[in-house]
Amino acid sequence: MSDFADLPEDWTVWSDQDDGRVVLAYRPDVFDADEYPAACLPTLYLTHGKRSRRPGVNPGNRSAEHDWHVTLYLEPEVHLQETNRFPTREEAVDCTLDLAERFAAGEIDFRELYQVPRERYLDALEELTGDGD
């Protein structure tokens, strides 16, 4: 059984690597690069070590039993400023599922993450998540 069988329906497993890394995408049917830039697809990353865009750095080289990180991104440079670091993958999976639930329910104030907000995009997120009520 998948670690993400209980994933909220608005989230999709985008990538599930053999080394345990996972990428989840929020409503790729809406944030599909036609109406919003592709970078605006909300994503959750479950990775070994901190996620890095630097070439030549492979966080997957670390032991599977330590240094797991969970990060919620709204865009490549816009992410939830929480420290979600865990010694085991199982704890990181629990955090990933919790963040997915909280996001889908509108419990995360994503507007606070922006210095220069994209109002139309953020309005759409509020409408899709439980925060639009």
Side-chain angles (χ1 to χ4, degrees):
M1 177 181 275
S2 167
D3 291 326
F4 297 96
D6 295 329
L7 192 63
E9 68 181 61
D10 291 336
W11 286 93
T12 300
V13 176
W14 198 258
S15 173
D16 191 355
Q17 302 295 315
D18 291 338
D19 64 1
R21 292 178 293 159
V22 175
V23 178
L24 305 178
Y26 181 77
R27 295 295 306 266
D29 59 317
V30 173
F31 301 101
D32 62 359
D34 287 335
E35 193 163 345
Y36 301 97
C40 287
L41 177 66
T43 52
L44 268 165
Y45 285 83
L46 169 61
T47 60
H48 290 216
K50 286 188 176 180
R51 188 167 175 269
S52 175
R53 294 185 177 274
R54 293 189 315 263
V57 174
N58 182 1
N61 289 338
R62 293 175 176 84
S63 165
E65 289 303 314
H66 75 284
D67 206 25
W68 288 91
H69 289 257
V70 178
T71 309
L72 171 64
Y73 285 92
L74 295 181
E75 297 184 37
E77 300 301 321
V78 179
H79 59 90
L80 187 61
Q81 298 291 323
E82 286 184 3
T83 301
N84 293 310
R85 182 178 181 181
F86 304 93
T88 67
R89 185 176 184 279
E90 291 75 24
E91 291 172 280
V93 167
D94 290 344
C95 177
T96 304
L97 290 169
D98 179 63
L99 275 175
E101 288 277 347
R102 288 173 41 213
F103 186 87
E107 296 173 8
I108 294 177
D109 186 3
F110 40 77
R111 288 183 181 273
E112 288 293 316
L113 305 178
Y114 279 85
Q115 291 181 353
V116 181
R118 298 174 184 253
E119 291 301 326
R120 193 162 84 49
Y121 165 63
L122 295 174
D123 290 344
L125 277 177
E126 281 182 349
E127 188 176 310
L128 291 167
T129 65
D131 197 39
D133 298 332

